[in-house]
Amino acid sequence: MSLVAAPQTPLERFNGQTFRVLLDCLARPGKIGQLPSPPFTSVPSPADTTPSNVTAIAACMSLLDQTVSFVHAVDKSWLPATHPLSRWIMVRSNARLVTPAMADFALLHDFASIALLPQLPEGTLLYPEHSCTVFLCVPAIVAGGKTLRLTGPGIATVVTVGLPDAASNDLAGLMARRGLFPLGVDLFLIDRQGFCLGLPRTTEISLC
Amino acid sequence: MGYVAVRGGSEAVARAEELVDCLRLLGGSTPLQLPQIRDQLRHAVSRAMHEGALYAPLLAALAVKQAEGDSIEAAFLLRAYRTTLPRVMASLPVSGRDMRCLRRISASFKDIPGGQILGPTTDYLIRLLQPALMHEDVRSVIAATERYQALIAAGGQQEGEIGRFPKVIDYMRQEQMIVDLPLEPPAEDPYDITREPLIFPCPRSARLQALAQADTGSLMSLAYSSVRGYGDAHPTLIELRYGYIAVQVAHPLTGEPVVIGEIEATEAEVASKAHSVTNTNEPPRFNVGYGFAFGQSELKVMSMAILDSVLTQARAGSLAGESGPAAQEEFVLLHTDGIEASGFVAHFKLPHYVTFAADLSVLGRARDHHAQRQTRLNQLVDQAIKEQ
Amino acid sequence: MTELTDQLYHFALLDEDAQREIRRKLLKAVAIPGHLVPFASRDMPIARGWGTGGLQITLSLITPEDTLKVIDQGDDESVNAVNLRRLITRTTGVATTTDTTAATIIQTRHRIPEEPMRADQILVLQVPMADPLRWVEPNIERATIMHSEADYGKMWVYMYESIVRAGDLRIASQYPVIVNRRYMMDTTPIPRWDVPKLHMAETLYLFGAGREKRIYAVPPYTAVEPLQFEDYPFRTEYRPGQRCARCGAENTFLTSHFVADAHGGRWETTCSDVSYCTKRCAATETTA
């Protein structure tokens, strides 16, 4: 039986592999997935003091196209469409940069920007899926570490993960606006090594 | 033997397809050429195109040939092909005003600006089989060309823009007989039900798209139910026109409109029997329904226009008379797609022996329950007799 | 030139945007267990009602490294399973298997395999109806409101009436369940036998209804409870003493089929999961 399809391009391959990691991480909160290396180079930085987490940006972009919208932020403020990184993302994804309350996706380039979480859509009772998916860049994620204690769907009993270097304010921001099921935002935490932690709205988070 | 229990399903599937291919040609007649189908089975090709939602006459002819004339199968083949095509850009809006008409009639007024043009139609044909068609050959083709030239000569060539006529609906709108264009928030792009899920209540553009690619027979049946008594009895045909419309896109660099081709299409508007009460501040007017389809597809566009009108009135709560299924938008749009309906009805040919085994288990338990009840009843009767 | 004409289509048939849309919807489905997420559901080269929903999910998930198993009625060789497998392999080139334990993605119609599935596997179920409320509320707009308010009273009444009339919860397959104590979900026509396998499972279950244009999911370790009454508990099809005529298994879902022989033939009940049954038969032969 002959193959009738062309092989995947490097970007399609990245998008396909990334999706499987994201799906697995969201289905199993607390399981730390390893994202593949993105086929992007020379990505603009969100801020002079904050280098870009290319894996997180590429993972978010793997889900963007002209039918969806996004916002991104660094140091607790939303970046405008004129920012070089906004342009870089828009040109490659065709996604629209909108106001936070309308965003399908949010890319938070540093942990502190989690403070902006309450501005993002949480869905409605009729359409709880019309909620934001957030990609949050964090310094490091440690499987089995002792920062967060997670329970809920996808977790057999309890699981713990470590977020070294996380400030208590950041952790408080992470735990805000939860327990509203079926409403809520869904989060992916991605560290500098490309390790990924999924936190769907169903996960109950407490501190260890 | 069952068709699942048998090993070697792969081979059976391949051979079944081969058999179909052979059967088409086994009769020994000359294989059909695509231009023959396109020119001589005009309506079959049009139907494949509007139900398949792709304007491609020669590909539609191929689909009709491959489907051996089955209209739903031909439309299915085209749709499955269309889904693999990239969506390069959206065309600019086209208007029926710019149609080069081969035919345009109105039932609402005797004389209309530009006049009634009957054009090619079988409407008044006495339905007798024509034995002459049995023996057509190349001489008939030549004769047809000559007859066509004679018809044109008799009709008289007109100067200027051939076949362009003002729309009757524009006059009626100007005279405030009919409602203004719906006051829906102008979406940047029309809704595309092939790219976004159809969620109810849906915008009118989604409704019109769904109706435009619906099965002709299903639309006709529901439109008939409505005009027969379950809905807006007896609407009036404002205008029906058939002809050619140029399709334009905006030039990607300059933004100037560029004509990329011409499509053959039919368009219709109907006015509701009952006047609208949608806006109590304004004097009552008639409601309007719109229909459009590729090719000369008059039954389709009239059915579509009737249903569009009924659904608009039903949503506004101004539908007069009994309402039936044709007045329920969800019911109409979800049950008239020929591809979806035929697929699901045909899926019952698939093996269901797991679910049937489960059904049998439930049936068994229901029988036990029945038997127990019966026994208990008999016991009670026996007891009662004894006690007497 | 041959290469060009042979490779007319995108990897996994659907174009990148279509795959992306389904991926976005799948993530939301996993985040809201049991909730029906609408998706565009492109036209496919197979008929609606023949697995287009499951197929679109599989095609959006699959990577060249995957090993695929496709079953229909528990059988890898069922005509429709063969046809879907043919389409997927021709557009992806992935390896296929009939062994449940060797697959990374299993697409199925009407069954969950008998062998327990693992965390590194995904089961994709083809769904014909999607909304469990269809029996009591065919209008989608109204049913969506009922789901949003967790207003399932009508369904409980339906269940109660079926007990009064038939002495049993009269739903054979497509048994309604409550997922994560919130949403009522249609289990697609799997027999009741397979319903307990959804509860606190190791595997991710993805459901695709192509004609109905809905995607939903049951993540691993998620509570899935069949609707039942205290005095009429949920029961599977299990009959004490049941046994597969081929492999002798006493705890599998059985279906009956006709076997022709010299005496005109007889009816036999065997495992519907044919690959599992064959594996057991082979194991017996080896030990014998």
Side-chain angles (χ1 to χ4, degrees):
Chain A
M1 207 160 14
S2 61
L3 197 62
V4 296
Q8 288 176 303
T9 65
L11 185 58
E12 287 169 3
R13 193 172 166 72
F14 170 83
N15 290 346
Q17 289 177 335
T18 296
F19 174 66
R20 288 291 282 276
V21 176
L22 295 179
L23 183 67
D24 196 39
C25 288
L26 205 65
R28 299 166 201 284
K31 180 176 173 182
I32 309 304
Q34 170 74 66
L35 290 163
S37 348
F40 290 133
T41 48
S42 49
V43 182
S45 294
D48 294 342
T49 48
T50 313
S52 49
N53 180 334
V54 182
T55 309
I57 295 172
C60 179
M61 282 170 69
S62 75
L63 297 168
L64 298 184
D65 59 33
Q66 68 276 11
T67 60
V68 292
S69 60
F70 78 105
V71 285
H72 65 150
V74 71
D75 198 17
K76 300 184 199 174
S77 49
W78 301 109
L79 293 172
T82 49
H83 189 282
L85 184 53
S86 306
R87 283 215 293 264
W88 194 89
I89 295 172
M90 286 192 285
V91 162
R92 281 160 186 79
S93 66
N94 288 322
R96 290 161 288 136
L97 191 78
V98 291
T99 55
M102 291 169 64
D104 297 314
F105 290 88
L107 183 53
L108 307 176
H109 297 292
D110 58 350
F111 210 148
S113 298
I114 191 74
L116 301 172
L117 194 78
Q119 300 181 23
L120 298 168
E122 290 164 341
T124 64
L125 280 175
L126 276 181
Y127 306 110
E129 68 276 17
H130 290 181
S131 62
C132 192
T133 306
V134 178
F135 288 78
L136 175 66
C137 301
V138 299
I141 304 171
V142 181
K146 295 282 172 237
T147 313
L148 301 179
R149 190 174 173 278
L150 313 175
T151 56
I155 304 163
T157 50
V158 181
V159 68
T160 65
V161 285
L163 295 172
D165 316 321
S168 59
N169 269 353
D170 301 344
L171 295 176
L174 199 60
M175 287 157 63
R177 306 293 302 157
R178 299 196 76 83
L180 307 168
F181 189 83
L183 306 187
V185 297
D186 307 303
L187 287 145
F188 290 105
L189 276 59
I190 297 171
D191 77 4
R192 293 185 189 128
Q193 313 290 313
F195 287 118
C196 176
L197 165 69
L199 291 176
R201 67 193 76 184
T202 48
T203 307
E204 290 170 40
I205 310 175
S206 58
L207 295 178
C208 284
Chain B
M1 286 210 189
Y3 54 138
V4 178
V6 179
R7 303 284 90 193
S10 316
E11 205 173 309
V13 166
R15 286 195 184 161
E17 283 171 10
E18 254 184 275
L19 264 179
V20 169
D21 216 33
C22 294
L23 277 177
R24 187 168 54 80
L25 294 173
L26 271 185
S29 57
T30 315
L32 286 168
Q33 299 302 304
L34 298 191
Q36 287 179 298
I37 297 168
R38 182 194 56 197
D39 302 340
Q40 297 180 49
L41 299 178
R42 223 160 40 91
H43 295 299
V45 169
S46 296
R47 184 163 178 182
M49 291 197 299
H50 58 71
E51 291 176 12
L54 182 73
Y55 191 86
L58 213 56
L59 283 179
L62 174 61
V64 169
K65 174 174 174 166
Q66 190 181 326
E68 301 177 73
D70 182 322
S71 65
I72 287 179
E73 182 68 16
F76 182 15
L77 286 167
L78 276 190
R79 273 215 210 161
Y81 173 69
R82 182 196 61 171
T83 194
T84 67
L85 300 174
R87 190 132 315 185
V88 183
M89 59 201 304
S91 72
L92 297 171
V94 297
S95 166
R97 277 178 207 93
D98 303 322
M99 183 183 274
R100 285 196 298 121
C101 298
L102 296 174
R103 161 168 166 78
R104 55 95 63 154
I105 52 165
S106 171
S108 48
F109 303 99
K110 182 164 182 264
D111 288 312
I112 47 176
Q116 307 260 12
I117 311 289
L118 210 49
T121 177
T122 54
D123 283 351
Y124 302 98
L125 182 80
I126 310 296
R127 263 65 172 199
L128 297 175
L129 285 171
Q130 296 178 29
L133 294 188
M134 290 198 284
H135 309 290
E136 281 188 315
D137 55 22
V138 71
R139 278 168 302 185
S140 327
V141 178
I142 298 164
T145 316
E146 286 165 0
R147 278 159 60 207
Y148 184 64
Q149 293 300 336
L151 279 169
I152 287 178
Q157 197 82 9
Q158 285 170 4
E159 289 302 310
E161 285 193 306
I162 301 163
R164 284 186 200 254
F165 300 95
K167 296 271 303 177
V168 179
I169 196 169
D170 286 343
Y171 161 73
M172 291 174 72
R173 198 159 267 144
Q174 193 187 314
E175 294 299 313
Q176 304 200 331
M177 294 177 204
I178 55 172
V179 290
D180 291 328
L181 291 170
L183 289 171
E184 214 165 76
E188 306 124 42
D189 289 315
Y191 201 91
D192 184 349
I193 60 165
T194 69
R195 290 294 188 271
E196 285 175 78
L198 186 56
I199 293 172
F200 295 94
C202 65
R204 183 160 176 254
S205 63
R207 176 206 297 170
L208 291 175
Q209 187 188 7
L211 293 175
Q213 62 177 46
D215 172 63
T216 308
S218 308
L219 289 192
M220 178 188 70
S221 164
L222 284 171
Y224 176 54
S225 77
S226 174
V227 297
R228 193 184 149 269
Y230 292 92
D232 182 30
H234 221 293
T236 306
L237 178 66
I238 298 174
E239 187 177 350
L240 179 139
R241 45 172 65 189
Y242 154 62
Y244 296 91
I245 306 182
V247 176
Q248 295 180 316
V249 296
H251 189 284
L253 296 178
T254 63
E256 291 290 308
V258 181
V259 174
I260 53 164
E262 224 180 20
I263 59 168
E264 196 185 334
T266 311
E267 182 188 52
E269 290 98 2
V270 299
S272 58
K273 176 90 165 175
H275 54 72
S276 165
V277 286
T278 33
N279 193 339
T280 44
N281 299 327
E282 287 191 24
R285 304 181 191 186
F286 293 118
N287 227 310
V288 174
Y290 181 75
F292 180 92
F294 296 143
Q296 188 174 8
S297 309
E298 302 183 4
L299 195 58
K300 166 95 169 224
V301 299
M302 290 186 61
S303 305
M304 175 175 168
I306 290 166
L307 288 171
D308 177 41
S309 163
V310 168
L311 293 175
T312 302
Q313 293 173 71
R315 190 189 286 181
S318 65
L319 193 65
E322 276 304 310
S323 82
Q328 296 168 31
E329 187 148 44
E330 221 187 270
F331 189 93
V332 173
L333 302 191
L334 292 183
H335 296 113
T336 49
D337 190 282
I339 313 302
E340 287 178 359
S342 67
F344 199 52
V345 170
H347 110 281
F348 292 106
K349 291 185 277 185
L350 285 178
H352 278 78
Y353 62 69
V354 164
T355 46
F356 190 63
D359 289 344
L360 282 176
S361 155
V362 169
L363 181 72
R365 285 177 193 172
R367 282 183 175 168
D368 290 348
H369 176 76
H370 180 75
Q372 277 167 15
R373 245 196 342 210
Q374 232 32 57
T375 316
R376 178 83 190 112
L377 200 68
N378 290 345
Q379 281 170 355
L380 287 172
V381 171
D382 287 348
Q383 206 179 330
I385 291 168
K386 254 185 229 162
E387 280 169 10
Q388 260 185 353
Chain C
M1 185 61 204
T2 31
E3 203 167 288
L4 263 181
T5 48
D6 281 355
Q7 305 194 338
L8 251 166
Y9 296 98
H10 192 269
F11 176 83
L13 186 78
L14 296 169
D15 64 80
E16 196 69 2
D17 284 354
Q19 293 192 19
R20 227 191 306 264
E21 192 237 358
I22 295 165
R23 289 171 184 168
R24 289 192 294 260
K25 302 292 163 68
L26 282 171
L27 291 176
K28 287 301 172 197
V30 166
I32 317 164
H35 169 64
L36 292 166
V37 181
F39 80 115
S41 191
R42 305 290 167 103
D43 286 298
M44 298 300 286
I46 61 161
R48 290 288 196 216
W50 296 56
T52 56
L55 182 64
Q56 288 180 80
I57 289 180
T58 299
L59 292 174
S60 305
L61 281 179
I62 205 158
T63 66
E65 292 75 30
D66 275 307
T67 304
L68 174 76
K69 173 180 164 84
V70 184
I71 47 172
D72 188 328
Q73 315 294 299
D75 191 347
D76 299 83
E77 277 295 315
S78 166
V79 278
N80 200 43
V82 164
N83 209 32
L84 291 169
R85 190 184 309 117
R86 182 170 69 148
L87 176 63
I88 299 166
T89 52
R90 283 197 74 184
T91 54
T92 61
V94 299
T96 59
T97 183
T98 57
D99 182 355
T100 298
T101 59
T104 55
I105 298 175
I106 300 180
Q107 182 172 328
T108 177
R109 175 170 169 261
H110 293 188
R111 276 311 313 272
I112 293 176
E114 298 289 357
E115 289 170 281
M117 289 184 62
R118 300 182 309 265
D120 59 339
Q121 299 176 303
I122 296 175
L123 190 74
V124 178
L125 293 106
Q126 300 167 201
V127 180
M129 301 295 276
D131 196 331
L133 296 177
R134 192 64 51 84
W135 307 114
V136 294
E137 180 49 80
N139 181 281
I140 297 176
E141 203 178 327
R142 284 196 291 270
T144 307
I145 294 169
M146 288 163 71
H147 280 296
S148 78
E149 295 169 349
D151 168 15
Y152 297 132
K154 264 190 174 180
M155 194 65 189
W156 284 105
V157 171
Y158 177 83
M159 302 285 283
Y160 174 76
E161 284 178 349
S162 83
I163 289 176
V164 172
R165 292 204 188 119
D168 191 13
L169 301 169
R170 206 172 39 175
I171 304 168
S173 49
Q174 240 175 318
Y175 199 92
V177 292
I178 298 284
V179 180
N180 191 30
R181 296 185 180 85
R182 176 57 177 80
Y183 283 107
M184 185 178 289
M185 188 189 89
D186 179 311
T187 53
T188 126
I190 51 172
R192 294 186 197 190
W193 189 274
D194 291 335
V195 171
K197 295 177 189 167
L198 296 169
H199 177 66
M200 297 304 272
E202 268 192 57
T203 306
L204 170 62
Y205 296 104
L206 302 175
F207 298 76
R211 193 178 41 81
E212 297 281 344
K213 301 172 179 62
R214 294 294 185 278
I215 281 172
Y216 54 102
V218 175
Y221 300 110
T222 299
V224 177
E225 292 145 325
L227 262 61
Q228 57 186 336
F229 295 99
E230 262 176 30
D231 46 348
Y232 277 97
F234 168 85
R235 282 190 295 165
T236 69
E237 291 84 356
Y238 179 75
R239 280 179 298 109
Q242 70 167 52
R243 193 166 186 279
C244 168
R246 192 162 161 248
C247 74
E250 289 171 349
N251 200 15
T252 58
F253 184 76
L254 303 176
T255 53
S256 26
H257 59 114
F258 185 72
V259 182
D261 60 22
H263 314 289
R266 61 192 150 50
W267 286 88
E268 231 177 51
T269 53
T270 56
C271 298
S272 104
D273 186 338
V274 177
S275 131
Y276 177 64
C277 189
T278 308
K279 213 188 231 185
R280 279 178 49 89
C281 290
T284 323
E285 275 169 31
T286 328
T287 41

